[in-house]
Amino acid sequence: MYSLYDIACFAAGLAGNVFALALFLSPVTTFKRILKAKSTEQFDGLPYLFSLLNCLICLWYGLPWVADGRLLVATVNGTGVVFQLVYISLFIFYADSRKTRVKIIGLLMLVVFGFALISHASFAFFYQPLRQQFVGAVSMASLISMFASPLAVMGVVIRTESVEFMPFYLSLSTFLMSFSFALYGLLLRDFFIYFPNGLGVILGAMQLALYAYYNRKWRGQGSSAPLLLA
């Protein structure tokens, strides 16, 4: 029999996986446009490379030989790795120039090398519990940098008084995913999970507050509702 605590942990982690899936699917609109145009046009491939590195590091943290009992962290980031690899592959295939293609391939190799270095170091230089602390610290830093990235978009919203470049469903998914994993981390008493996701909750709430405030002005100017991703 599973205890109420076990059920609560599983429910929080599972909810985080579901909401993260919405985030992973958010670039689909962008790649539909790329497939239609058969060109990456002016889109930037760097966010997908950074997301891949983040997912790889967090996947490593969720595996039992690093942090036991964190399977739902591994599943969500394993799914993220698959999505990011698909997006990067499409970006390489439809790159608008040979220079861009070579650049993305080179950066992809750098991401793989960086992850290999971290995973090797975690085994070569650390035993438990230091291994979990080392990988956890790296994954936490990676997560915080990912959660902080929308700050630039929030600045654009404030300057332009328009929510056009801050899609509502993307902000909502970020908030819900962060809340779910912050709760999951609290239940597990895992600082490396609940702290960065707690920051994600705060930033997600700020995005939703900005959306609520500026959406009226933006709609008042006759603009249509934003797509999931521009």
Side-chain angles (χ1 to χ4, degrees), residues 102-199:
V102 171
K103 175 185 174 182
I104 296 300
I105 292 174
L107 289 172
L108 177 60
M109 293 174 65
L110 189 62
V111 164
V112 173
F113 175 77
F115 170 68
L117 188 63
I118 292 169
S119 58
H120 174 71
S122 67
F123 266 89
F125 303 112
F126 300 98
Y127 294 96
Q128 294 292 27
L130 289 179
R131 180 183 302 150
Q132 179 177 349
Q133 293 172 4
F134 167 71
V135 180
V138 176
S139 66
M140 183 173 69
S142 178
L143 274 171
I144 290 173
S145 67
M146 291 294 294
F147 284 134
S149 60
L151 288 174
V153 177
M154 292 167 65
V156 171
V157 171
I158 294 171
R159 287 196 306 271
T160 62
E161 298 188 351
S162 168
V163 294
E164 182 179 2
F165 300 106
M166 192 176 70
F168 171 75
Y169 293 111
L170 194 59
S171 300
L172 180 62
S173 296
T174 299
F175 173 78
L176 293 173
M177 181 201 71
S178 299
F179 181 82
S180 299
F181 274 112
L183 178 59
Y184 180 69
L186 283 170
L187 289 169
L188 292 174
R189 297 182 178 86
D190 191 324
F191 177 79
F192 300 122
I193 297 177
Y194 71 72
F195 180 74
N197 283 286
L199 293 179

Side-chain angles (χ1 to χ4, degrees), residues 29-42:
T29 304
T30 297
F31 281 92
K32 281 183 177 179
R33 177 172 169 178
I34 289 174
L35 288 170
K36 185 176 181 181
K38 295 184 178 180
S39 170
T40 54
E41 299 174 331
Q42 299 302 312

Side-chain angles (χ1 to χ4, degrees), residues 42-100:
Q42 299 302 312
F43 290 109
D44 189 3
L46 287 178
Y48 307 106
L49 289 160
F50 286 133
S51 293
L52 174 62
L53 180 59
N54 175 69
C55 287
L56 284 169
I57 294 171
C58 293
L59 168 62
W60 188 247
Y61 179 74
L63 294 175
W65 47 83
V66 175
D68 194 24
R70 308 295 188 269
L71 181 61
L72 290 171
V73 172
T75 57
V76 66
N77 286 287
T79 303
V81 167
V82 173
F83 272 95
Q84 302 312 318
L85 285 173
V86 170
Y87 294 145
I88 293 168
S89 297
L90 289 172
F91 206 95
I92 291 171
F93 187 79
Y94 289 107
D96 58 352
S97 68
R98 185 176 182 276
K99 181 180 178 181
T100 300

